Amino acid sequence: MTTTTERQPLNGVDTPTLFATLDAVREQPELARFQFRATNKWVSGTHNRSTMHTYYGAGQELEHKDATVVDADHPPVLVGNDNGPAPVEYVLAALAACLTSGLANIAAARGIELTEVESSVKGDIDLLGILGLSAGVRNGYEHIQVDFKIKGDAPEEKLREIVEQSRDRSAVYDVITNPVPVTLNVIAG
Amino acid sequence: MTTTTERQPLNGVDTPTLFATLDAVREQPELARFQFRATNKWVSGTHNRSTMHTYYGAGQELEHKDATVVDADHPPVLVGNDNGPAPVEYVLAALAACLTSGLANIAAARGIELTEVESSVKGDIDLLGILGLSAGVRNGYEHIQVDFKIKGDAPEEKLREIVEQSRDRSAVYDVITNPVPVTLNVIAG
């Protein structure tokens, strides 16, 4: 474990650029305004396909070097054709990914070298809600359990703190644990 | 548009089996208890990889016919290497997918044939939150806008109602617009 003032690339994180970016945003806070996007096309039945490509941020229209296309479907037991994970599964993957991306940055900023990070996310859901069979059951997850294994050159307590700090600064964790207003607009016919 | 008692396969949805499934769950509500899962492995920097494969539901351990593996990363402007969408983008894809899967089922159940369904989801986020640069800014999306285009053999108002009914029964919409309790467990060292 190096000092917290260490600013060399670590864990694959370009920490000098990370700190420079933080300084730039501090000077010009409007650079922090982002818009992320996904588009979706219905294929057949419960099978559909999403694309993630363009976004806005740092004052400009941007795009990922590659468009990412993912399929979703309901599983056979829910009368789908299993052409991809269920939509709710992507939420769990997003949570694991957000916490992991964040903790890599935080570890690098603190000069801690990571050797291994794995996680599993489990979401319990009672489908009586979405099936409209019980008014008292919510549509979404009742509870989500996240389990992390993290290894690196710091005491256990410091490694645990990194994961907790990542949770405290996680966009997806916030979206799941707190309400986000959603507006729905439909053009029909 | 056929009658609402129509129970032939429609829109690629096996409506007879859908209704039979609803009847089975009505008889045996514990079949509706599901657990969805994702696992994640850190690759390097903010790049990591999630897998969605096994799940529990209808009283048994199950798995998708294929494991789905998705990469996430931060974009270059956020000092990542752009090896995949940002984690928060998967949340938007999940929302579009959930609403689309749901509306295909609802349309089939109502005997409405769909010809085209497309959607776009945009999430506005101020990264001053996750960057720890402003205590008053949340980590997650401030607002999400969903735009649907839906075409089929029903009046505009009926098509719009299908999308709205899907929203009212959407697991991902609920997860985003209402709080879900999340427990985090860390094994370090």
Side-chain angles (χ1 to χ4, degrees):
Chain A
M1 186 176 156
T2 51
T3 69
T4 54
T5 54
E6 177 71 48
R7 296 199 169 189
Q8 296 309 302
L10 194 60
N11 304 322
V13 174
D14 181 356
T15 36
T17 303
L18 183 61
F19 283 109
T21 301
L22 283 168
D23 288 341
V25 175
R26 217 173 263 121
E27 289 296 307
Q28 217 180 324
E30 67 272 21
L31 293 176
R33 298 213 62 86
F34 274 63
Q35 182 181 75
F36 290 109
R37 303 163 188 158
T39 58
N40 183 281
K41 267 194 138 159
W42 175 57
V43 179
S44 176
T46 49
H47 178 205
N48 56 78
R49 189 166 286 146
S50 294
T51 302
M52 294 162 275
H53 193 200
T54 73
Y55 59 103
Y56 174 90
Q60 59 201 303
E61 279 295 320
L62 294 162
E63 62 181 38
H64 294 295
K65 64 184 176 198
D66 300 307
T68 297
V69 178
V70 295
D71 285 48
D73 199 355
H74 285 181
V77 72
L78 295 173
V79 203
N81 284 309
D82 209 17
N83 288 299
V88 279
E89 293 177 74
Y90 283 104
V91 174
L92 305 181
L95 178 58
C98 192
L99 293 168
T100 303
S101 294
L103 71 82
N105 275 340
I106 292 162
R110 294 182 182 184
I112 294 168
E113 188 168 4
L114 299 174
T115 49
E116 200 179 319
V117 185
E118 286 185 15
S119 57
S120 85
V121 186
K122 301 185 179 100
D124 292 315
I125 188 165
D126 186 341
L127 299 186
L128 293 179
I130 65 168
L131 295 174
L133 296 178
S134 176
V137 175
R138 69 179 295 174
N139 294 321
Y141 288 120
E142 295 171 306
H143 177 250
I144 293 173
Q145 169 76 36
V146 184
D147 291 285
F148 262 89
K149 280 189 206 165
I150 177 170
K151 292 184 184 178
D153 70 344
E156 286 184 28
E157 192 48 37
K158 292 285 172 198
L159 292 169
R160 191 172 290 112
E161 278 172 21
I162 289 170
V163 184
E164 289 165 356
Q165 175 66 17
S166 181
R167 174 197 61 197
D168 294 349
R169 285 288 170 226
S170 165
V172 176
Y173 182 87
D174 177 24
V175 166
I176 291 174
T177 57
N178 296 299
V180 178
V182 177
T183 307
L184 174 65
N185 179 48
V186 182
I187 297 171
Chain B
M1 186 176 158
T2 50
T3 69
T4 54
T5 54
E6 178 73 49
R7 296 203 169 188
Q8 297 310 302
L10 194 61
N11 304 323
V13 174
D14 181 356
T15 35
T17 303
L18 184 62
F19 283 108
T21 301
L22 282 167
D23 288 342
V25 175
R26 217 175 263 121
E27 289 295 308
Q28 217 180 323
E30 66 272 21
L31 293 176
R33 297 212 62 85
F34 275 63
Q35 182 180 77
F36 290 108
R37 303 164 188 157
T39 59
N40 182 281
K41 266 194 141 166
W42 174 58
V43 180
S44 176
T46 49
H47 178 206
N48 56 78
R49 190 166 285 146
S50 294
T51 302
M52 294 161 276
H53 193 201
T54 73
Y55 59 104
Y56 174 89
Q60 59 201 303
E61 278 296 318
L62 294 162
E63 60 180 40
H64 295 294
K65 64 184 177 199
D66 300 308
T68 297
V69 178
V70 294
D71 285 47
D73 198 355
H74 285 181
V77 73
L78 295 173
V79 202
N81 285 309
D82 209 17
N83 288 298
V88 279
E89 293 176 74
Y90 284 104
V91 174
L92 305 181
L95 179 58
C98 193
L99 293 168
T100 303
S101 294
L103 71 83
N105 276 340
I106 292 162
R110 295 184 181 183
I112 294 168
E113 188 169 3
L114 299 174
T115 49
E116 199 180 319
V117 185
E118 287 186 12
S119 58
S120 85
V121 186
K122 301 185 179 98
D124 293 314
I125 188 166
D126 186 341
L127 299 186
L128 293 179
I130 64 168
L131 295 174
L133 296 178
S134 176
V137 175
R138 70 179 296 173
N139 294 321
Y141 288 120
E142 296 171 305
H143 176 251
I144 293 173
Q145 169 76 37
V146 183
D147 291 285
F148 262 89
K149 281 189 206 166
I150 177 170
K151 292 185 183 178
D153 70 344
E156 285 184 28
E157 192 48 35
K158 293 284 173 199
L159 292 169
R160 192 171 290 112
E161 277 172 20
I162 288 171
V163 184
E164 288 166 357
Q165 175 65 17
S166 181
R167 175 196 60 197
D168 293 348
R169 286 288 170 224
S170 164
V172 177
Y173 182 87
D174 177 24
V175 167
I176 292 173
T177 57
N178 296 298
V180 177
V182 176
T183 307
L184 174 67
N185 180 47
V186 183
I187 296 171

